[in-house]
Amino acid sequence: EQVENVDQGTFHPTIQDAVDNAGEDETVQVEPGTYNESVSISTTNVTLEGPNAGINENRDARSDEAVIAGQLSVSAQNVTINGVQVTPNTETFNQTPAAAIIVSESDATVQNNRIADFTVSITDIEPNSTQGIQVFNAGNEITGIEIQSNSVENITYEGSSQAPSGDFGTDYGNLYGIHVQGEIGNTVVEENTIRNLTSGGYTLATAVSGTDSDVTANPEEI
């Protein structure tokens, strides 16, 4: 494994260390391998590139993957995620929203990534649903999101379709391939491949929805 800030010419022990030390308009490049970490990007205008940046699997064969074995979250504007694989597990979501990639700020681009090959147990985490890719903000409107040419596949959400406490009813255990949720505007979701999703509750390839925490925070122009 190797992580490089190509603008600074520096190498880093982890992806998180690289993005923490990246400046605006800089690119972090990740070589093939497995990276046992969750990554949070909170610097504006940062690009994270894996070995399959620019590869749309609908037309081209992917090469060896840079696998992030945790969650990838975007909490800064104008961030690009291009050409990595994200493969979390149940333990990843003990304290976080259950989405392999979660975007909560404007002008993000998520493209040519593979979100795949993992199982989450609903009986071991607090969230009542799992997402491959989630765009979510209930407090402030975010706009200008592009979710393009990703593969979301081979994901299983295990457990009963009924919450252990009965609070969530029969829809407990939902699995979404791609979920646009909350006060989201001017967002494009296109040319994604979604396959082999299995859940004890509802299974949805894609969904656009509001949020229970704020009934006025609804998506527009998706």
Side-chain angles (χ1 to χ4, degrees), residues 88-90 117-121 154-158:
N89 57 29
T90 300
D117 305 338
F118 63 92
T119 296
V120 175
S121 172
N154 307 332
I155 303 171
T156 299
Y157 198 26
E158 289 183 340

Side-chain angles (χ1 to χ4, degrees), residues 6 19 36-37 47 52 62 64 70 72 76 80 97 100 122 171:
V6 296
V19 299
N36 293 302
E37 57 179 310
T47 295
N52 287 293
R62 294 176 73 87
D64 291 344
L72 180 51
T80 297
I122 67 173
D171 65 347

